[in-house]
Amino acid sequence: TFDLRTGDVLIICPGVLHELFAPSDGERIIFQPSISCISLQELDTITAMLSPAVCITPEKYPQLHQRIHDMMLEIKEAYLSPSPYAETLIYSRFLDILYHTAQVISADLSRSFETDVLNQREYIEKFRSICDYINHHFSENLTLEMMASMAGFSKYHFSRLFKQYTNTTFY
């Protein structure tokens, strides 16, 4: 549950069931793009990292919040404009939002790993690779043991780090 205030930005990942209770006053920008038309390998990794949702507030992420706020206003303006290229601008800003959010959240995740900087980068890369593998082989019987072995960790250590990286358990 997120108690949003004026100006807060909530990014909800695809496939996440959600419900909105909004007060009757004030203005909201709800932007719900289709990502099925975007073919980027990194998109799956980013959505796994941000899943199920991330709230961007001015207190927690001041620079990111301002940047996203400005891009959302550009998206709104483009959506309401008669420009024949508005959709290109809209998706461009959407990808910018994902890129900048992933950069900041990834840095937070790096700090949360209880190791030195070199190991943090290595762990982040391993878990990006693992998430990519899971996204491409989701219909196969993927076991905890198999994924832990692929990452080079015991299943217990892998489970703990996977939870840190994705905010969800492996299963």
Side-chain angles (χ1 to χ4, degrees):
T1 301
F2 294 93
D3 186 16
L4 300 177
R5 299 163 304 144
T6 300
D8 287 351
V9 175
L10 182 63
I11 299 173
I12 303 171
C13 290
V16 175
L17 293 177
H18 58 280
E19 184 174 19
L20 175 66
F21 296 104
S24 57
D25 62 329
E27 180 185 44
R28 281 146 209 81
I29 299 175
I30 299 173
F31 176 56
Q32 190 173 0
S34 170
I35 63 169
S36 61
C37 63
I38 302 172
S39 178
L40 295 173
Q41 183 176 4
E42 292 173 346
L43 193 57
D44 291 336
T45 304
I46 291 171
T47 55
M49 183 189 325
L50 303 180
S51 185
V54 63
C55 186
I56 310 297
T57 64
E59 295 80 20
K60 188 167 183 181
Y61 304 106
Q63 291 176 324
L64 176 63
H65 178 271
Q66 187 60 52
R67 181 175 264 156
I68 290 176
H69 179 267
D70 294 345
M71 286 189 279
M72 287 299 296
L73 292 178
E74 282 185 70
I75 287 170
K76 178 183 173 186
E77 186 178 316
Y79 180 78
L80 297 173
S81 82
S83 170
Y85 306 109
E87 189 174 6
T88 302
L89 176 67
I90 290 168
Y91 275 95
S92 169
R93 291 303 169 264
F94 169 63
L95 291 174
D96 281 346
I97 289 169
L98 289 182
Y99 168 78
H100 291 293
T101 303
Q103 291 286 34
V104 169
I105 300 302
S106 180
D108 280 358
L109 285 171
S110 291
R111 285 189 289 278
S112 74
F113 283 118
E114 303 159 0
T115 60
D116 60 57
V117 173
L118 289 176
N119 282 341
Q120 287 175 358
R121 286 194 183 119
E122 182 183 333
Y123 283 11
I124 292 291
E125 287 306 313
K126 279 186 184 188
F127 282 95
R128 281 185 186 151
S129 174
I130 291 294
C131 287
D132 285 343
Y133 186 87
I134 291 169
N135 284 327
H136 289 96
H137 297 89
F138 65 91
S139 63
E140 300 172 16
N141 183 23
L142 302 177
T143 66
L144 173 63
E145 290 79 9
M146 180 192 310
M147 295 295 98
S149 175
M150 188 180 284
F153 299 120
S154 73
K155 64 182 184 179
Y156 305 105
H157 191 58
F158 175 83
S159 292
R160 188 175 63 79
L161 292 175
F162 189 87
K163 171 80 171 154
Q164 270 185 296
Y165 182 75
T166 64
N167 282 329
T168 188
T169 65
F170 173 76
Y171 288 107

